[in-house]
Amino acid sequence: MPRYPGYEDGPDNDPARRYRLQLLALFDLEWRMAGYDRLSIITRVHHRSGVYGLIAPRHVGSNFLAAGLRFKF
């Protein structure tokens, strides 16, 4: 059974307080250098939330910042 983070949608020991419906917003930025058309650096912000209490209570959700390399074949 996979473990889901408690800060994402509530505690494991109280299933009634778990919220499956949340807003998901992904924002990507692609950074390139001149002369390297096939290689780029990607930064991504991953945001999940209850939209200030609209679809889940306040303070439910998470934010992640990720970085990676993208190579176009």
Side-chain angles (χ1 to χ4, degrees), residues 6-7 10 15 18-19 23 25 28-29 33 37 47 50 52 56-57 63-65 73:
Y7 56 83
R18 297 178 69 80
Y19 303 97
L23 169 75
D28 289 342
L29 287 175
M33 291 178 54
D37 295 335
H47 171 79
Y52 296 102
N63 293 302
F64 294 97
L65 180 61
F73 294 95

Side-chain angles (χ1 to χ4, degrees), residues 3-5 8-9 15 18 21-23 28 30 32 34 37 39-40 46 48-49 51 55 57-59 63 66 73:
R3 297 270 311 160
Y4 299 100
E8 186 74 20
D9 61 356
R18 297 178 69 80
L21 180 62
Q22 294 181 27
L23 169 75
D28 289 342
E30 183 173 2
R32 290 187 180 181
D37 295 335
L39 184 64
S40 58
H46 168 117
R48 285 185 51 165
S49 73
V51 193
I55 57 176
R58 291 177 180 260
H59 308 295
N63 293 302
F73 294 95

Side-chain angles (χ1 to χ4, degrees), residues 26-46:
L26 299 172
F27 304 98
D28 289 342
L29 287 175
E30 183 173 2
W31 306 84
R32 290 187 180 181
M33 291 178 54
Y36 296 94
D37 295 335
R38 298 172 62 188
L39 184 64
S40 58
I41 297 174
I42 303 297
T43 54
R44 170 179 279 187
V45 175
H46 168 117

